[in-house]
Amino acid sequence: MKKKPFRFTGECYSADRSGAFSLRRRTEFEQLPEPGSGGFRVVGCREYLPREEQLRQDRERMERAEREMNARP
């Protein structure tokens, strides 16, 4: 039976104006299968936006979709 590669997750945090920390990015790494390589590769990465930024982007996306829907005959 083949051995599963070693995986680990790295997390990056940032501080906001109040000094509280929030998760910015979570990256999952997997060890390369070559014996003795000691290297890792990224198998997954997700970036988390601050709430205000996420709301702004969502609002822009909804406005753009609304304009596109209203432009259709």
Side-chain angles (χ1 to χ4, degrees):
M1 188 164 152
K2 189 176 179 183
K3 186 177 175 183
K4 288 186 176 182
F6 174 74
R7 284 188 173 199
F8 73 94
T9 301
E11 295 179 340
C12 177
Y13 293 87
S14 65
D16 60 13
R17 292 180 184 165
S18 68
F21 288 91
S22 59
L23 182 64
R24 288 289 294 156
R25 177 178 286 180
R26 179 175 286 147
T27 307
E28 188 173 340
F29 298 92
E30 181 178 274
Q31 190 171 18
L32 294 173
E34 295 84 29
S37 70
F40 290 87
R41 67 183 176 107
V42 175
V43 292
C45 185
R46 180 168 181 182
E47 189 165 336
Y48 298 87
L49 297 175
R51 181 166 172 71
E52 298 81 24
E53 180 68 17
Q54 184 67 52
L55 289 173
R56 184 186 66 76
Q57 286 188 8
D58 290 346
R59 208 173 305 114
E60 287 175 359
R61 221 178 343 266
M62 292 299 289
E63 289 170 357
R64 189 169 43 250
E66 187 176 325
R67 283 193 307 271
E68 288 176 8
M69 291 299 290
N70 289 339
R72 292 184 181 176

